[in-house]
Amino acid sequence: MLTRPADQAARFAQDLAARFGNRLRPVISPLMVPRFLAPDWPDAPYAALILTSETGAEAAARLRAAGRALPDRAICVGDRTAQAARAAGFSATSAQGDAEALLAHILGSGESGPFLHLRGRDARGDIAPRLAAQGRPAHAAIVYAQEAQPLTDAARHVLAGQDAVIVPLFSPRTAALLAERGPFAAPLLVAAISPAAAARADALAPTRLVTAGRPDAAAMLDAVESLISDPAS
């Protein structure tokens, strides 16, 4: 069961099909949908954007199309976000990791800023204040909110059954939202993208829980494979 926003869930379903063929039957039920915002932020000669999600990259593209002045460069948390930023016309680099890797990347680069972090309402990591504490001026602007969504009828049917359901969870909030909709009759085999997501997934009482070795889609595919190979360990 794929609970990511629709476009990202569809892409991960394609990744699953490429790796596992017809061994899995994806059921897509996004638990969040983005609502884009148009906030104000202080005028400054920003050296670069900081983007910590693909949705943030989409928000940047929407803001630029609406006439907002944004820097051409984007420093991104991971490869997928960097790809989305490039597709939107930004010159993007990837920290190839999570929020901690992004901070280390910026601090190690010698860049002095100021930086503009376009983030979601429920973003984690406190990027801007932590950069500011290290003498790198940064401002955070909340440019989207992820609105909670109910489970689809197909998802509820699967979760009410007796067959095991593999659930890749790509964020702590998604794990929490799914737990709020439980409990479920089906045995749950959970792949969590991070220790924080895994901690929230405990509330689902999964039959098995594995945490991806890295916070990216490729590692999540590896985690799914481990659940398929040995669902009971």
Side-chain angles (χ1 to χ4, degrees), residues 7-69:
D7 290 346
Q8 297 169 36
R11 188 180 63 221
F12 195 68
Q14 292 175 344
D15 293 342
L16 289 169
R19 182 145 173 183
F20 302 111
N22 60 4
R23 295 169 66 192
L24 298 176
R25 179 174 62 86
V27 174
I28 294 177
S29 181
L31 290 180
M32 296 184 290
V33 63
R35 177 169 60 87
F36 293 98
L37 310 173
D40 291 322
W41 52 76
D43 288 332
Y46 294 107
L49 293 177
I50 296 173
L51 299 176
T52 45
S53 70
E54 295 175 64
T55 308
E58 182 179 352
R62 288 169 175 262
L63 289 164
R64 176 178 273 182
R68 299 297 296 270

Side-chain angles (χ1 to χ4, degrees), residues 5 12 25 79 84 106 120 131 147 163 193 208 221:
F12 195 68
R25 179 174 62 86
D79 293 345
I106 295 172
L131 285 173
E147 305 287 358
D163 293 334
I193 196 167
R208 188 173 177 216
L221 288 171

Side-chain angles (χ1 to χ4, degrees), residues 1-231:
M1 190 176 73
L2 304 180
T3 58
R4 304 188 80 186
D7 290 346
Q8 297 169 36
R11 188 180 63 221
F12 195 68
Q14 292 175 344
D15 293 342
L16 289 169
R19 182 145 173 183
F20 302 111
N22 60 4
R23 295 169 66 192
L24 298 176
R25 179 174 62 86
V27 174
I28 294 177
S29 181
L31 290 180
M32 296 184 290
V33 63
R35 177 169 60 87
F36 293 98
L37 310 173
D40 291 322
W41 52 76
D43 288 332
Y46 294 107
L49 293 177
I50 296 173
L51 299 176
T52 45
S53 70
E54 295 175 64
T55 308
E58 182 179 352
R62 288 169 175 262
L63 289 164
R64 176 178 273 182
R68 299 297 296 270
L70 294 173
D72 289 328
R73 293 177 52 240
I75 304 171
C76 303
V77 67
D79 293 345
R80 293 284 199 186
T81 301
Q83 290 171 8
R86 292 186 195 108
F90 295 93
S91 173
T93 58
S94 169
Q96 298 182 322
D98 55 10
E100 299 304 316
L102 178 64
L103 282 165
H105 176 84
I106 295 172
L107 293 173
S109 71
E111 292 193 55
S112 58
F115 302 99
L116 178 61
H117 180 195
L118 300 184
R119 50 161 282 189
R121 181 174 291 165
D122 298 296
R124 298 167 54 85
D126 296 325
I127 300 294
R130 291 173 68 186
L131 285 173
Q134 295 291 325
R136 314 293 175 89
H139 179 80
I142 297 174
V143 294
Y144 66 93
Q146 294 281 17
E147 305 287 358
Q149 299 294 297
L151 290 165
T152 64
D153 289 344
R156 286 195 295 270
H157 176 76
V158 166
L159 291 167
Q162 299 302 311
D163 293 334
V165 180
I166 295 175
V167 186
L169 294 174
F170 282 80
S171 73
R173 185 167 181 235
T174 303
L177 287 172
L178 184 60
E180 288 172 6
R181 286 148 179 75
F184 306 111
L188 301 183
L189 309 177
V190 173
I193 196 167
S194 66
R200 292 289 187 92
D202 277 341
L204 290 164
T207 300
R208 188 173 177 216
L209 170 64
V210 298
T211 303
R214 302 179 311 280
D216 59 37
M220 285 291 278
L221 288 171
D222 292 340
V224 169
E225 182 161 15
S226 73
L227 291 172
I228 295 171
S229 300
D230 193 1

